[in-house]
Amino acid sequence: MIRFEGVHKWFGKLHVLNNVNLQVKQGEVVVVCGPSGSGKSTLIRTINELEPINEGRLIVDGMDLGGRGTDINKLRAEIGFVFQQFNLYPHLSVLKNITLAPIKIRRLDRKEAAQQAMALLERVGLAEKRDAYPSQLSGGQQQRVAIARALAMKPKIMLFDEPTSALDPEMIGEVLAVMKDLAESGMTMMVVTHEMGFAREVSHRIVFIDHGIILEEANPAEFFRNPKHERAQQFLRQVLSPMH
Amino acid sequence: MTGGLDFNVIRDNLLYFFIGRYPHGPLGGVGLTFYLAVVSLVLSFIGGLILGLLSISHNRVVKWVSLTFINAVRGMPLLMVIFWMYFLWPGLMGRPMPESQTVILALTFFTSAYMSQIVRAGIEGIPKGQTEAAISTGLAPWQAMFYIVLPQGLRNMIPSFVNQFVSMIKDTSLAFIVGVDELTHIATQVNNRTLVFPTEIFLFIAVVYFILCYAFTELSRWMEKRLAWRKAI
């Protein structure tokens, strides 16, 4: 579904992605973790070309991102993206946030789009908020709407860029629950997160990245029991018991 | 009359102040001022929007050409732009143009250039995440601009727009220099004819300009409220 082949990216002189090779299969849930500034957000943002790569090949859903015939808008419609800062449209109601792209891109009529949006709002537990504006919602609610907005395009892949990092602790659970439900439904997911509980419980594979290099790739049980790389051990110690 | 002000001169010429020689001749006075202002306002809104979008284009040539035009116009006095239009445009186009159209064109060029930079600032003031969210759902960049960025940006631009337009309403008075019968020109005519009432006449047109500008400011304030969406709590 997603294949990185020798991918490099620089921001000026900073080498943010250094020879990344990675594959994500259909239905797989992969968690990407690493210290801040490690390149994990950049990694996930290259998949829908919010950040273009400088070198190597990146193939998503059978399409080559650097390729000439690739229609990036079309590809993005197949990939849901959830941001750390939610990025809901503040001038539109919850319902319109969700129906905009299906109406403009999938050419659904308003009624159809609204029905589908309501079903998604039910799923994330926010049906009663259809006419609210984003500023009237809590962070957790906003993020759940953002997930519904991404799902409204019926994407083949869902990408999450630190979806709970901007949330108050008591709201993290509600967002993770929606993501877990999504993972169990068989969605192909790539998630950048520090939520190690989610990683352990829901993911199939964990990718540890630092200084733009993938240092470790393992299934969760192995990663938590027996991290091989020294920096991964250090990272886990800090994340799991921050006081020490 | 010695001392005191005599406003009979206004009363006697009131209709002339408001509509000029209309309907026996072309529209003039306040009517023409209003006409010049409204047409230039609509045109420079469109022009400012287009120029603003061009000036942030990713195409370097488009960006350079539009910025050059904008900076050239901004670096010129409005009076100069009016003269340019008045003397050079007919030569360029090979046929004469009515003076009022000359002035509309000059005001549009001039105000569009200023408006474009309000538009640019308004667009750049919208967080990048809004565009990213929109294109991530498959919207093309122009759709993200049209449906997401501009509606938010335009609302933030309203106060600056109003400023620009109020000064444009006042700038229509410069049309008198090329003989357009708008309010200021009518006032100088009446003044030349009556000779002894300049205070009354220019006090009167000052009030008229004030009312026009104030009414416009109020109108836009009402519009701003109507366009408001629920802001962050």
Side-chain angles (χ1 to χ4, degrees), chain A residues 45 76 88 90-91 135-136, chain B residues 130 132 135-136 147 229-230:
Chain A
R45 285 163 60 89
R76 281 177 180 148
L88 292 179
H91 62 304
S135 60
Q136 297 169 316
Chain B
Q130 290 289 309
E132 289 185 350
I135 62 176
S136 291
Y147 296 115
W229 63 85
R230 274 150 268 195

Side-chain angles (χ1 to χ4, degrees), chain A residues 110-123:
Chain A
R110 278 173 194 290
K111 218 177 128 195
E112 237 178 313
Q115 279 170 357
Q116 184 205 307
M118 284 314 293
L120 286 167
L121 281 174
E122 297 277 1
R123 187 167 167 192

Side-chain angles (χ1 to χ4, degrees), chain B residues 162-184:
Chain B
V162 173
N163 258 334
Q164 199 61 47
F165 285 140
V166 165
S167 70
M168 199 190 63
I169 291 172
K170 294 180 290 184
D171 285 344
T172 58
S173 61
L174 286 171
F176 105 103
I177 210 81
V178 291
V180 175
D181 270 340
E182 46 67 60
L183 182 57
T184 306

